[in-house]
Amino acid sequence: MLTVLYSAKGAPGVTSAALALSAVWPRPVVLIEADAAGSDLALRCRGASGGAVASSPNLLGLAAATRGDRDATLTEWAQPLACGVQVVLGVQAPAQARGVADLWRRLAVTAASADVDVIADLGRLGHDTATMPLLVAADLRVPVMASAVESILHTRGHLLDVTVAGGRTVPLLVGPGRSAAADCRDVDDVMSQAGVIAAASTHLPLDHPGLAALESGVSPTGRGRASQLVRGARAAAEHLLASAGLEVHR
């Protein structure tokens, strides 16, 4: 199953949400940094050895492999972060993304047909974004927004403008945990009144200490399991899988 996270405008925390969801996803999963603006996780996270994240394997290697004759598997181009997430690192700069622009369609096919679940971080998505094939191929599309009114309205406008057949759309709101239920109801009301076809929204709490711990390598099944971020990400992951018609066995 391919799940893509993206924003319609601004920086509401797409990469942080993708990392948190991948860390607690209850099925085998690979995270792909597919943001054409460049990779963040190599700068923000520790590698499995505790040091810096290695520069390869990465998305460019995977892109080259999909151009060859042999079948490329995501797992051979992924590397573990210290927190346990398997990630395919993205491009280092927009110029590299332009260099592989003709391969995004093949990457979408590889991700959609992978033998593990895939979470793809698309970053900010515009109408002319080269990574649009990943959005089209996704089983779950997760527009990420902040709790601010303008972020919600920009997302609503994007969902009205961009129509994609198949799959499910599940909005993800990043905001204070104390108002999560009310904020999600507001998002659902805004989308419903505008005629946006989407499943009920879900929520990821703002938890900067929890995110910093995850990036530094604290395990979400160890010392980090009680953080607000990890607990919220688990609930959001279960909601997303249920929206896709997949049951989660504890």
Side-chain angles (χ1 to χ4, degrees):
M1 185 178 74
L2 171 59
T3 300
V4 298
L5 276 69
Y6 66 95
S7 70
K9 188 177 178 65
V14 176
T15 298
S16 299
L19 177 67
L21 289 171
S22 299
V24 302
W25 202 252
R27 293 153 50 102
V29 66
V30 171
L31 171 60
I32 297 181
E33 281 195 295
D35 187 344
S39 169
D40 285 331
L41 293 180
L43 303 175
R44 291 168 48 173
C45 296
R46 290 184 180 177
S49 65
V53 178
S55 59
S56 63
N58 55 38
L59 185 64
L60 293 179
L62 174 60
T66 61
R67 187 169 49 191
D69 293 332
R70 70 182 184 84
D71 292 332
T73 60
L74 285 178
T75 50
E76 68 181 302
W77 295 102
Q79 62 174 296
L81 300 176
C83 63
V85 171
Q86 294 285 333
V87 61
V88 178
L89 292 178
V91 298
Q92 295 181 355
Q96 287 186 327
R98 289 191 292 270
V100 296
D102 63 323
L103 298 177
W104 290 112
R105 180 184 58 80
R106 283 194 286 272
L107 290 172
V109 171
T110 300
S113 61
D115 58 0
V116 296
D117 286 352
V118 176
I119 294 177
D121 168 12
L122 305 188
R124 180 178 173 182
L125 192 68
H127 290 289
D128 58 347
T129 300
T131 54
M132 190 65 76
L134 284 160
L135 185 79
V136 174
D139 301 289
L140 278 179
R141 291 177 286 276
V142 184
V144 181
M145 68 198 82
S147 55
V149 172
E150 60 269 24
S151 183
I152 296 171
L153 295 181
H154 280 302
T155 302
R156 180 193 65 180
H158 168 84
L159 293 175
L160 288 170
D161 289 344
V162 178
T163 302
V164 181
R168 297 294 302 276
T169 297
V170 187
L172 173 63
L173 185 68
V174 178
R178 63 182 179 276
S179 58
D183 288 344
C184 283
R185 284 196 297 270
D186 289 344
V187 169
D188 294 341
D189 287 343
V190 167
M191 299 302 169
S192 176
Q193 291 171 13
V196 172
I197 299 175
S201 59
T202 188
H203 179 269
L204 194 67
L206 286 172
D207 177 13
H208 297 298
L211 177 61
L214 197 63
E215 292 173 344
S216 69
V218 173
S219 171
T221 59
R223 288 191 296 117
R225 67 182 181 276
S227 77
Q228 187 182 17
L229 176 66
V230 167
R231 287 186 285 112
R234 284 203 179 97
E238 291 183 5
H239 179 87
L240 291 174
L241 287 167
S243 298
L246 298 174
E247 186 177 354
V248 179
H249 298 283
R250 292 181 177 273

